[in-house]
Every structure is written in C-alpha cells, then in structure tokens.
Amino acid sequence: MKKKPFILLALAFLSTLNSQLSTLFAQGSAFTYQGRLNTNNAPYSGSAEFQFTLWDAASAGSAVATNNPVSLIAPVADGLFTVTLDFGLNPFNGQPRFLQTEVRTAIGPFTALTPRQPVTATPYALRALNLTTNGLAAGTYASAVTFDNAANSFAGAFTGAFTGAASGNGSGLTNVNAATLGGLSGASFWKTNGNAGANPTNGAFLGTADNLPLEFKVNGQRALRIEPTATSPNVIGGAAGNSVAAGLSGATISGGSGNRILLSSDSPYGGSVIGGGDGNLIGGTPGVGGLALGGFNFIGGGYANNIRAGGDFDTISGGEGNTIGTNADHVTIAGGARNDVGTSSVLSVISGGNDNNIGTNSPNSVIGGGGNNNITNNSTYATIPGGELNTATNYAFAAGRRAKANHQGAFVWADSQNADFDSTSGDQFLIRAAGGVGIGTTSPQAKLHVAGSVVVQGLTTPPAASATNLLNLGSGNTTNGFLNGISFFESATTTAMSLGYDGSGGAAQNALRIYSSAGSPLFTFEASGDLGIGTTAPTNKLHVIGGATFSSGAGGANQNVVWTPGSASWSFTSDRNAKDRIAPVDGREVLEKLSRIPVAEWSYKGYDQRHLGPMAQDFHAQFPLNTDDTSLNDADLHGVALAAIQGLNQKLTDELKRRDAENAELKTRLIALEELIANLSAKGN
C-alpha cells in the first residue's frame, strides 16, 4: 500500500527562539500539522496511528528528534487529518529539518510515507530569525527574561541604575567602574597589585572586624588561619587538621597537618609553637582529653612528637615519636626517633639518636646521642655522651657500648665489645679498652701506656721541693719521705730509683732497691751498675750472697744448673728421671768427629781476656744439637768430652789387646827360636 500525504498548512513553530522567548510571546514548542492520507489512490476515512520523527536530511541522514508522544491516533475524514506535534526547541537550531511520517490503519508494522517533508518557516519563526540577526527590539519587557546560555554575550555600554540582585561570578565583566560596593569606594579595597596610602595608623587593615577567625585558602584548602583571642591571636598554618585549643592565646602552628596545641591553664598566654610536620602535640597525651598545663613550648617539626601536660619552656626540634613527659620543664630533645624524657625530669637534654630514655624524676641529666641508652629513674646529674645500650644513675657517667654506671658517682667507659661492663660500687672509675689506654701516645703497648711523667702519690704532704717526682707510689708520710713504696725521682742532678725506699743513704746507694721490710733490702742495683742479690754492697756486676738456681720448669722442677755455696761450684741436673729419648752413642765415632773440630785461642770482641776452645759453627757442623750455630751448650761440651774419652779408652784398649796378642806371638816365636838355637848348639858340640 502506498500512502502519500500533502502539506496543506505550513508549520507554526519558532525555529530559533529559546523557551524563554516563546513564553514571552505565549508560544510553546508544539505546533499543528495537517495532511492528506490516500489509500490505493483514494482518500482514506477512518482512524489511523501516526509516528513522527525529525531528520537532518531529505533522505538517509540521522534522526535528531522524536515527537512527544511517540504515537498519535487521529481520525481521518475523506483523506484529511490534523495532529499537534511537539519536538521541543533544541532540534530547531537553524539547520534544515525534515519531517518523516509513519502510519498504520490496523495492527501491524508502520509504513513510512515518502518523501520526507521539509520544515518551513512561519511568521513567528521569521521573528526569531530577526532576533538572531538584529537583536531584541527596543522597548520595555514587563515579563521576566532569563538568559541561561553560557554563550550569551552583551556588548556596548550599560547606562542607568541597576536595581535588584545579580547572580553568577561576573567573570566575563570587564572595565567595570563601580562608584561604591557595599557602601565603600574603590580606594577602600585591597588590590592584587598593591595599595597606596594603606597606613594602619589611619585605620587601614586586612582582616575581620568581628570576633571570627580569618582564613586564607589555596585551591580550596585552608593554608592559614588566624584566630582571635582576648589577648594575643593564635596563628595556624597548614592543613585543616592543625588546631589550637579554644581559650589559648599566643600559639602558633606554622604548617603541616594533624598538629595540635592544647589548652594551657598556667597563664592566659600559651606561647607555644609547632613549626610543621605531622601529628605533633603540645600539652597532653594523645587520645586523652581534659585540661592540660604547660606553655611556651616548641616543636620544630617531624612526626608524632609530644610535649605532655605541665611542661614549660620545652623543645623538641624534630624527628619522630619523641616525648617529653608531664611536668618536665626546660627540657630539650634535639631530634632523632623515639627518645623519651620522663615525668618531672627538668633541665634534661637528649641531643639525638634513637630509643634513648631519661627516666622519671631524673633532673639535670644528659644523653648526647647514640641508641638505646638509659638514665634510670630518680637519677640526678647523670651523663651518657653517646654510644649504645649504656646506663647511668646519680652523678654517674657511662659511654661506649654496654657501659653500666649503676652506682652513684661511677665513671664507666666501655669499648666496642658486645658485653656488659658494670660498676660494682659507688665512685668508681672503670675503663674497658681491649686496645689499651694511651696517655700521651696513640699506640699503647699495654693495658695502660703513659708517654711522659707519672705521679701517683698517697701522701698528705708533697715531697721536698728539691725532688722532681717522676713516679711515686707512697705508702705513708714520714719525715724521710716515702716509706716502703715505689719511687722514681730525681734528687738534684742524680737520678734515683727505689722500690721500698726507706729514706736512708743517698741516691748513689739507693739507685734501685727492693725491701722486704724497712732496712732489709733484698735486691740492690747500684748507680755504678753493680747488682747485688743478698747484699747491699755488690762488688761485681753480679754479686750473689747464697745459692743460685737456673731452672727450665715452674716451681724449680727440671733444675738445670745449681750453684751450691758450700761446694763453691755449679751443679747440673743429670737425673735419668728428668730425661727422655735416651739413645747410646759410639764413643770412637764421637772421638773421630771431635778430632775434626779445630781448637783455637781467641778473645771476645771488646775484651782482652784470652780463651781456648772451638768455634760454635765448627762444633755444630759435627754435632748439630743446638737450634743455632752461634752458641755452645755446656752439657753438650761435657757430653762430647766424656764420649770422646770413652772412645779414646776403647781405642787404647783395643790397641793394647792387639799388642798383647802380638807380644804373645813374638814371645812364643822367641821361645821356639831359643829352643832351636839350643838344639843347634848341642849338635855342634
């Protein structure tokens, strides 16, 4: 079935005006459409259902709007029908539009009528076109006019008085010259390029004129807040999480976030400052409300630092998790992490480090830094300069690693060994130094190495001015000076040294002495260089009164050489029980080797006395018994001599036996010869 309508009545609608202008002239967006419907080339009569859509082209193209309602049922008489269409205002923006009609007269699919009908102009549409070209006509518009299109622009000068209220931000307004705004002239407003003549003494100011805070924001977030108080304003910078308790005056938070200064009740001026950081707190315990005491405190920054209630004039410069306890005044934590000064520990300092602790009620104490150092509770004037795991108490000092000054007045210095080094009583001075203690030297050769003079004096009265003390260990005060002590000193121009010096004699007699009791010297080393053992008047380089023993074993075991005064001779140990690895020797072989060793007469260099004997190198070549070839052992010399004597004796014995046998043979032959001669003589007679 082919259906073709004819346009009998032009469309009546506004094609360019918006809805406000339509309202102004009592026009809506609906318009009347009349057409003709034929069926089989004859006018149709009866009911029909229509659907109307708007397109941007006569064929193909895109649909831009659908009628409201989508479907219309209208009577058709002798082929004629009339309907009211409404596509709204938006589709009619001045671009060409084409109406497509679809119809059905019974249940089934719709049939699209062709061709699409172009939407034509009407007188109202011409008026709308005139508005877009020449603007609104002059005159007064009694009804309200709304311009809600962001593309609207207004050119030209505005004259006359403006009454009523204007909304919007006015961002498109330029060259506005208002004589007054809010009852104030333009000279009364602050300008972004500065003001001239804004003298505070003349009443000029930037701020509030009532009891409300003043805030400055950046990108919609609070950057600075100034709160009014009865005395001195509070200044709060940074994020909105920073806060100063109501009723507090003169407090400052310069920046950061989550920082708080709680109320101070000891004066109307809190005077406390938090420089920045995050989660820092002055005046209380986190999570605990109520009135907090203390003021004039300072936290420079960092994270989660806390000056608790009751503390005045305290400082935490920065770091993380540092705490100053309640009622602790004039306390400083320079930085670091998790350092803690306990309750009532006034005038104490932790310079830095981590996990250091000054206990409760420990005033005037100091921890210089390091880690895990501890000043115990109820300690006064305790000091830990640094290091790790050190402990100090009243008037004590601990430094290094694991130094424990656990007693009052103890001074404990520990090296890097990972072990506790503890005081055992008060007022001790303890040093653990595996590398030695050097005084005057950087290379100690012992536990204590002093490069220079040392005075150790137990006297109540110093020695005479004529004596220059080098080392004095005095055991008492007598008129003679040091009694039974150790003295190394100079007397006039003579150097004197005494062990157990009794004050008698002169420096030449008491150069070095060891006493068993006053006046009973055991050992004397004279200034001449003579050494006396058992005598105070040695006459030789070594002068011994009594016996002497040279032993290779502890406690006298394995005695090798003994001088026996009664025999006036040396005795050498030769006990079989003191020997092992015993092996026999061939005396004649020893004698043969000994015969090859040259023996000469000689003197030691620097001495005139002559000696007779072998050279150690020659002896060692034949008898490699010593570990070196530059010395001779008396036991070896004696042994070689005895073995050689035995070898010589064996040699002589063998020779005698040979000669005895030879003599016996000769004697037998002589007897036989004598008998032969006798027989011959008898026959001759």
Side-chain angles (χ1 to χ4, degrees):
M1 177 180 68
K2 184 177 180 181
K3 304 173 182 178
K4 182 177 180 181
F6 296 93
I7 301 299
L8 301 179
L9 185 63
L11 300 177
F13 66 99
L14 295 175
S15 63
T16 57
L17 285 181
N18 58 24
S19 58
Q20 284 78 6
L21 288 178
S22 299
T23 303
L24 178 65
F25 289 94
Q27 299 297 317
S29 59
F31 58 91
T32 301
Y33 176 74
Q34 189 176 54
R36 180 185 294 274
L37 178 63
N38 292 334
T39 301
N40 296 325
N41 295 321
Y44 172 79
S45 295
S47 294
E49 184 178 359
F50 297 91
Q51 288 185 346
F52 298 92
T53 53
L54 277 180
W55 294 73
D56 58 4
S59 62
S62 301
V64 297
T66 299
N67 182 61
N68 184 19
V70 175
S71 296
L72 295 174
I73 298 176
V76 181
D78 198 19
L80 296 178
F81 67 90
T82 302
V83 293
T84 301
L85 303 181
D86 189 351
F87 295 99
L89 296 179
N90 291 334
F92 304 106
N93 57 7
Q95 298 298 321
R97 295 292 181 256
F98 297 87
L99 181 66
Q100 176 172 294
T101 303
E102 297 177 67
V103 65
R104 65 183 177 183
T105 58
I107 297 175
F110 284 89
T111 300
L113 305 183
T114 58
R116 295 173 183 166
Q117 302 298 308
V119 178
T120 58
T122 67
Y124 276 119
L126 292 175
R127 178 170 177 80
L129 179 63
N130 183 57
L131 290 177
T132 60
T133 304
N134 299 316
L136 294 174
T140 301
Y141 297 88
S143 300
V145 179
T146 301
F147 301 94
D148 61 358
N149 192 324
N152 290 331
S153 63
F154 300 90
F158 177 82
T159 59
F162 180 84
T163 60
S167 62
N169 57 20
S171 59
L173 297 177
T174 60
N175 298 322
V176 176
N177 184 12
T180 61
L181 289 175
L184 299 175
S185 67
S188 301
F189 294 93
W190 287 93
K191 304 177 181 64
T192 58
N193 60 350
N195 285 41
N199 191 338
T201 59
N202 296 331
F205 69 92
L206 179 64
T208 62
D210 51 14
N211 191 27
L212 292 175
L214 174 64
E215 283 196 353
F216 294 87
K217 292 187 177 181
V218 176
N219 196 27
Q221 294 183 340
R222 190 186 80 183
L224 178 64
R225 178 183 177 91
I226 303 175
E227 296 179 340
T229 67
T231 51
S232 177
N234 299 320
V235 178
I236 306 173
N242 296 327
S243 65
V244 174
L248 186 64
S249 299
T252 300
I253 299 178
S254 300
S257 63
N259 300 303
R260 294 181 294 154
I261 300 178
L262 302 185
L263 183 63
S264 169
S265 66
D266 57 354
S267 72
Y269 299 97
S272 294
V273 175
I274 297 178
D278 181 25
N280 299 303
L281 174 65
I282 292 179
T285 303
V288 178
L291 187 64
L293 305 176
F296 307 100
N297 299 307
F298 175 81
I299 296 179
Y303 174 73
N305 298 302
N306 181 16
I307 298 176
R308 292 183 175 168
D312 291 324
F313 309 103
D314 295 330
T315 298
I316 298 178
S317 299
E320 174 190 4
N322 300 302
T323 300
I324 296 177
T326 57
N327 300 317
D329 299 336
H330 303 278
V331 171
T332 298
I333 297 179
R338 301 175 301 280
N339 298 304
D340 181 47
V341 176
T343 300
S344 301
S345 295
V346 300
L347 297 167
S348 294
V349 175
I350 297 179
S351 297
N354 64 280
D355 299 292
N356 297 305
N357 175 63
I358 296 178
T360 300
N361 194 32
S362 297
N364 301 287
S365 296
V366 175
I367 296 178
N372 295 286
N373 298 302
N374 179 46
I375 292 178
T376 59
N377 295 337
N378 304 309
S379 298
T380 304
Y381 296 101
T383 301
I384 299 176
E388 180 188 21
L389 295 168
N390 300 302
T391 301
T393 185
N394 287 299
Y395 302 98
F397 177 97
R401 187 180 189 189
R402 298 180 66 170
K404 308 297 183 183
N406 297 324
H407 298 80
Q408 179 169 308
F411 182 106
V412 181
W413 179 280
D415 58 13
S416 62
Q417 298 180 58
N418 189 17
D420 288 348
F421 186 57
D422 299 64
S423 64
T424 56
S425 64
D427 301 313
Q428 289 180 331
F429 189 99
L430 305 177
I431 298 176
R432 181 182 70 193
V437 177
I439 300 177
T441 176
T442 59
S443 302
Q445 303 300 309
K447 290 295 184 182
L448 176 62
H449 185 166
V450 180
S453 300
V454 176
V455 175
V456 182
Q457 183 174 331
L459 300 176
T460 57
T461 303
S466 60
T468 302
N469 296 307
L470 300 178
L471 173 60
N472 297 326
L473 300 178
S475 61
N477 180 27
T478 69
T479 56
N480 291 325
F482 301 100
L483 181 61
N484 298 326
I486 300 176
S487 302
F488 292 84
F489 64 94
E490 293 180 356
S491 178
T493 59
T494 304
T495 300
M497 297 172 286
S498 295
L499 299 175
Y501 177 51
D502 61 2
S504 63
Q509 286 73 39
N510 294 319
L512 178 61
R513 286 190 176 182
I514 299 177
Y515 289 84
S516 62
S517 61
S520 300
L522 300 178
F523 181 90
T524 300
F525 198 155
E526 294 288 3
S528 62
D530 293 342
L531 173 60
I533 300 176
T535 177
T536 59
T539 59
N540 209 327
K541 294 303 178 183
L542 177 62
H543 188 164
V544 180
I545 303 299
T549 299
F550 298 89
S551 175
S552 62
N558 300 328
Q559 296 176 357
N560 295 324
V561 182
V562 178
W563 172 265
T564 306
S567 64
S569 63
W570 294 100
S571 298
F572 297 88
T573 297
S574 189
D575 183 3
R576 179 181 296 273
N577 296 321
K579 301 177 182 179
D580 61 5
R581 293 179 294 169
I582 300 172
V585 297
D586 186 345
R588 296 190 67 169
E589 182 182 353
V590 173
L591 179 62
E592 179 65 24
K593 290 182 179 180
L594 182 60
S595 66
R596 291 196 291 267
I597 298 176
V599 179
E601 185 179 307
W602 44 267
S603 299
Y604 284 109
K605 291 181 179 181
Y607 293 88
D608 295 331
Q609 184 175 344
R610 302 292 289 170
H611 300 277
L612 179 66
M615 303 302 170
Q617 290 84 353
D618 297 331
F619 189 87
H620 189 269
Q622 299 299 323
F623 303 102
L625 302 173
N626 279 358
T627 57
D628 62 73
D629 62 354
T630 59
S631 62
L632 295 174
N633 187 293
D634 283 345
D636 295 339
L637 290 174
H638 296 162
V640 168
L642 290 174
I645 292 173
Q646 289 180 347
L648 179 60
N649 179 66
Q650 183 65 42
K651 184 176 182 179
L652 290 176
T653 300
D654 293 345
E655 181 64 23
L656 288 175
K657 288 181 178 180
R658 185 189 66 80
R659 290 191 178 188
D660 287 344
E662 183 181 355
N663 288 338
E665 181 183 356
L666 290 175
K667 186 176 180 179
T668 300
R669 293 176 63 186
L670 178 60
I671 292 173
L673 183 59
E674 286 179 345
E675 290 179 350
L676 178 61
I677 293 173
N679 291 331
L680 290 176
S681 295
K683 291 179 177 183
N685 293 329

